[in-house]
Amino acid sequence: MPVIDGVTLRVLHAGYHYKGRMDLTVATFAPGTSVAGVLTQSACAAPEIEWCRERLPSDSARALVVSAGNSNAFTGKRGRTAAKLIGDTIADVAGCSSGEVYLAATGVIGVPLPAERAVNGLRALDDTEPAHWEAAAEAIQTTDTFAKGASATARVGTDTVTVAGIAKGSGMIA
């Protein structure tokens, strides 16, 4: 997968659910980055989804944080508090508003996300070496058996545009 100008990936170990593996992915984006998203229509979406729903109309992105091993779903006020702590922390670290921060979480359902485990890592983000797409794809895995990513390049008018992405998912609900 190609390196995308204006996107810096980092992976950290928060220790949400997995011992000895990276489980927190952070993407920071250059000023002026636009964002679009498709989110679940579920009335009982996780706090990270609600967070993103509130921000998507702004069309601006500076950071994305993905927690793996804990979905933070069905966690009520404690889950919302955790999402806000992570969002506010990365906004401070990235030097942007929390309105330009997007969150995602995947993993165990019904257990509040221990956000304080992520905060120390996020605060030391500048000391963390940038990662490649494969490391980020591995860090978002839960039940996946391999990292997934794809990219494509196309001409749009006179511009060459590259779209790249990582994904997860594998037999999550039996």
Side-chain angles (χ1 to χ4, degrees):
M1 300 242 317
V3 171
I4 304 295
D5 290 337
V7 179
T8 302
L9 295 168
R10 290 185 171 88
V11 296
L12 309 161
H13 175 72
Y16 290 135
H17 185 69
Y18 305 105
K19 292 184 181 182
R21 74 165 255 216
M22 302 300 190
D23 55 2
L24 188 65
T25 301
V26 179
T28 52
F29 309 112
T33 299
S34 295
V35 65
V38 177
L39 305 172
T40 181
Q41 296 302 305
S42 173
C44 56
E48 289 75 6
I49 299 295
E50 296 297 333
W51 175 279
C52 291
R53 279 184 186 153
E54 293 171 6
R55 284 149 180 81
L56 275 173
S58 77
D59 187 24
S60 177
R62 293 293 308 284
L64 166 68
V65 178
V66 183
S67 300
N70 183 314
S71 72
N72 201 31
F74 293 103
T75 55
K77 184 177 179 182
R78 287 177 58 199
R80 288 188 297 279
T81 299
K84 181 174 179 359
L85 179 59
I86 289 173
D88 289 347
T89 300
I90 194 61
D92 182 54
V93 169
C96 64
S97 77
S98 65
E100 298 174 294
V101 170
Y102 293 83
L103 304 175
T106 180
V108 175
I109 295 170
V111 177
L113 186 70
E116 60 283 348
R117 293 184 187 177
V119 168
N120 289 337
L122 293 173
R123 293 211 182 280
L125 192 64
D126 289 338
D127 298 328
T128 304
E129 290 293 318
H132 295 284
W133 287 100
E134 188 171 5
E138 289 171 354
I140 68 170
Q141 289 180 210
T142 53
T143 58
D144 307 65
T145 55
F146 60 93
K148 298 163 201 66
S151 67
T153 301
R155 299 275 303 160
V156 178
T158 58
D159 297 322
T160 299
V161 177
T162 300
V163 176
I166 58 176
K168 63 146 319 294
S170 172
M172 296 179 301
I173 298 174

